[in-house]
Amino acid sequence: MNVQFKKGVLELCVLVLIDTKDQYGYELAQNISKKIEVAEGTLYPLLRRLTKEGYLSTYLGESTEGPPRKYYSITAEGEQYMNALINEWKQFSKAVDQFIKEGAGHGEE
């Protein structure tokens, strides 16, 4: 998949997944990687930025496998931001789909 495509939607994917369930970084990376290949090195700076901007908050949760883990949860401001991104994504993807539909058969006439 195109790297620029991934960069553009990774923020939205992170917010949606964390909105569904609080997650720690590695868990989040695994869940995203099930559908989109992503490097952990890309994910952690994004998590730090979203936290700094107030869209995510963090807390330590106990782990059965070692030290406590830093969990990320979405804030009320983060939910508003996520909903705005979802609306933008729907509009954007609809427009791209329209371009594809109009252009895909262009050379076949």
Side-chain angles (χ1 to χ4, degrees):
M1 181 181 285
N2 183 297
V3 173
Q4 294 303 318
F5 288 171
K6 286 192 273 189
K7 282 184 180 181
V9 299
L10 187 58
E11 181 172 13
L12 176 57
C13 294
V14 164
L15 291 169
V16 167
L17 284 171
I18 293 175
D19 185 51
T20 305
K21 174 185 170 276
D22 292 359
Q23 298 184 47
Y24 57 95
Y26 182 74
E27 175 185 26
L28 185 61
Q30 294 300 307
N31 287 331
I32 290 173
S33 293
K34 289 176 185 174
K35 296 182 180 165
I36 301 171
E37 186 178 331
V38 62
E40 283 182 55
T42 306
L43 188 61
Y44 287 103
L46 175 60
L47 289 169
R48 280 193 296 275
R49 182 176 60 78
L50 290 171
T51 302
K52 184 178 177 182
E53 292 175 352
Y55 300 133
L56 298 177
S57 61
T58 62
Y59 61 92
L60 288 179
E62 292 301 318
S63 169
T64 57
E65 304 169 6
R69 294 179 171 148
K70 183 194 283 188
Y71 281 83
Y72 294 87
S73 62
I74 195 164
T75 63
E77 188 177 351
E79 285 186 23
Q80 290 177 346
Y81 181 58
M82 177 192 69
N83 288 327
L85 287 178
I86 289 170
N87 288 332
E88 287 178 27
W89 173 256
K90 287 178 180 178
Q91 291 174 4
F92 178 76
S93 62
K94 185 177 178 181
V96 171
D97 287 344
Q98 191 63 40
F99 281 122
I100 292 169
K101 184 179 176 183
E102 292 170 0
H106 179 49
E108 297 174 7
E109 294 174 12

